[in-house]
Amino acid sequence: MPRDRFGREIDYLRISLTDRCNLRCVYCMPLGDLGFLPGPELLTPAEIEAVVRAAVAVGFRKFRLTGGEPTLRADLLEVVARITAVPGVGELAMTTNGILLPKLAAPLAAAGLSRVNVHLDSLDPVRLARVMRWGSLEAVWDGIAAAEDAGLVPIKLNTVIVRGYNEDDVVPLAALTRERDWHVRFIETMPLGIEEPGRVARDGLVTSAELRARIVAALGPLTALPSAASDESRNHRLDGARGVVGFISPVSEPYCGACNRMRLTADGRFHLCLLRDDELDVRAALRAGADLDAVGAILLRAVGDKPTGHALHAGRSTEDRQMFQIGG
Ligand code: SAM
């Protein structure tokens, strides 16, 4: 398994398929003309497969598709089928807003996708529309149901709470786990980029400690569950609940010491740390005819160069890219 210079085992590759999205969440994407990547700049399914083959050869085992919104890629099923056919790919998951899952969940499962994380910030249609700006609760909910019907389980919900938008939703969202065996994971807002979504994320931070206290006050005790060191979510269960309540706290309780991730942007850069700008271009090598050994060598260099952690505590984050351009 590849190790970085701090001894961390890095075996998890998160692959962004596009910078486009059919939502405009206030903490993630600005409104207006975003200058999306032109099609020829995106890695093709064959190029993505080549990176995955090279990654498996150097010891990567876990893969996830993300974006932007990965379901907007017209060739998504081909990408999934190519990746899951690579011997040694342990599991392929996808992070999505769920809106296109009613038509895609069954074919994705048939192509080999293991499961999905669906992003849902509120159970209140009006508040959700304020956060997402586009889309609707009904559309996301239908997507979650389709994923469950297609066996893309366990269903994990990614929830971002932003002060002034949806703090009151933490209790009903956590309460979902009483009846359903879903994982509801509350992610602290991370400021990326120098534009408005970064400011919303910075100013709207609600710490996991505050969310935990709100849940306990309304729903009773949360019992901590064992979790792997590399699992960024600290998992808990409400008394008698079927599902899991998780807290992902990159701002208030950073877990960089347990980071096991490398990211691949839609335009073919290894992005070394979500909250920094360091990148290594692999697309240029692929398009110059690099073989799998050469691609693996670039990936190992990217692993070796991973920074020790983010620098949010010092007021620094990415400047070149925003969340939708890296992939969360
Ligand atoms: N479009 C997909 C989705 O909505 O899940 C995948 C990409 S999105 C960037 C991945 C995850 O990042 C989502 O759960 C989203 O809520 C979360 N996210 C986006 N911006 C964030 C921010 N500034 N801080 C924390 N999480 C963020």
Side-chain angles (χ1 to χ4, degrees), residues 14 27 95 117-121 156-163 166 170 173 183-190 192 201 204-208 211 232-234 245-252 255 261 263 274 323 327-328:
R14 296 172 67 102
Y27 47 78
T95 301
N117 290 36
V118 183
H119 159 211
L120 177 65
D121 293 341
K156 295 190 180 181
L157 299 187
N158 285 350
T159 295
V160 177
I161 298 290
V162 193
R163 196 174 305 285
N166 61 342
V170 62
L173 283 161
H183 295 218
V184 176
R185 299 138 35 102
F186 296 98
I187 309 174
E188 288 180 343
T189 51
M190 292 170 268
L192 279 89
L205 173 70
V206 184
T207 64
S208 296
L211 295 179
E232 77 280 19
S233 177
R234 293 291 159 254
V245 175
F247 298 96
I248 302 179
S249 325
V251 183
S252 67
Y255 41 82
R261 289 152 187 227
R263 292 180 165 82
L274 175 60
M323 185 67 108

